[in-house]
Amino acid sequence: MDDTVQLDIQRFNPETGQVPYWQTFEVPAEPGDPVLAALMRVREEQDGSLAFRASCRSGICGSDGMVINGWPRLACKTQISEVQDAHGIIRIQPLFNLPRLKDLVVDQTPFWDKFSAVFPWLMPAVDKPEPEKERRMQMEPDDFQLLSKASDCIFCQICFAACPIVGLDQEFLGPQALIKAYRFEADPRDAGTPTRAPVLDDPEGVWRCRTIFNCTEACPKGIPITRGIQVLKRAMVQEELRR
Ligand code: FES
């Protein structure tokens, strides 16, 4: 590989009134460098106006989700050698399914609105006596593994951008809100199903998921999102039978 990389970056500045356009940059890079390092080089050495989000550079904060060669990824966890095409080029766009604000920065409001809609917190039963010590989680090891994995979400919005149903239907809750709802619905200490069911057991809730697995494939934390959503669907059927 050459010791430089070509980045084709989709630019957008709402203040100019110009439609999004592609701009090419070439910067020094090693194959093992993350794409984020190359982007930072562009901003530091060639164009200080390039807008993108990033913070931890370690796959923890979830802020640098972007579309790299057509697929949503974290720029800090994607090596240049993984995504360079045969001509040594990497194409970078903002995340799909969210309005763009400037260059690679998107408006996260639709994502957070859906997240908030599923009551994403533990709702313990109010009619049970308070335990003397902690509320114990009693569940099968496999079930706990899945719940624990779902807790790894870093809110990077990559699953949201990878889901074609979110792209078609802006009312759909989307994979992140659903896996977060699953995380609490599956928790034996939680009693929030009657509160969440009207939102989840809805054509725009769990039933809009078409089990395409893009979310699972794209998740940088390896969360089996589709599997969690399937468990949530079963829980909604059981809730319907119980009513
Ligand atoms: S910069 Fe924090 S996850 Fe990439």
Side-chain angles (χ1 to χ4, degrees), residues 36 53-65 74-77 154 156:
L36 181 59
R53 288 192 179 102
S55 181
C56 71
R57 309 187 200 182
S58 310
I60 296 169
C61 73
S63 62
D64 62 337
L74 288 179
C76 67
K77 297 294 282 180
I154 56 171
C156 62

Side-chain angles (χ1 to χ4, degrees), residues 68-98:
I68 303 174
N69 285 1
W71 187 246
R73 310 167 202 261
L74 288 179
C76 67
K77 297 294 282 180
T78 305
Q79 288 189 349
I80 286 170
S81 57
E82 279 175 63
V83 285
Q84 254 181 327
D85 72 11
H87 306 289
I89 300 169
I90 299 174
R91 287 165 71 85
I92 306 176
Q93 298 164 261
L95 286 177
F96 299 140
N97 301 338
L98 290 163

Side-chain angles (χ1 to χ4, degrees), residues 201-229:
D201 190 10
D202 181 273
E204 300 293 357
V206 288
W207 307 116
R208 198 79 175 100
C209 169
R210 295 294 189 266
T211 326
I212 294 167
F213 285 91
N214 270 21
C215 53
T216 299
E217 196 177 325
C219 176
K221 304 306 284 185
I223 301 171
I225 302 173
T226 314
R227 197 170 135 215
I229 295 173

Side-chain angles (χ1 to χ4, degrees), residues 14-50:
E15 288 172 7
T16 65
Q18 203 178 353
V19 295
Y21 63 97
W22 292 92
Q23 187 172 5
T24 296
F25 297 92
E26 197 165 304
V27 287
E30 298 290 328
D33 285 349
V35 172
L36 181 59
L39 275 173
M40 287 181 151
R41 249 196 166 125
V42 170
R43 191 163 65 184
E44 282 159 16
E45 298 170 7
Q46 298 186 26
D47 187 342
S49 73
L50 177 65

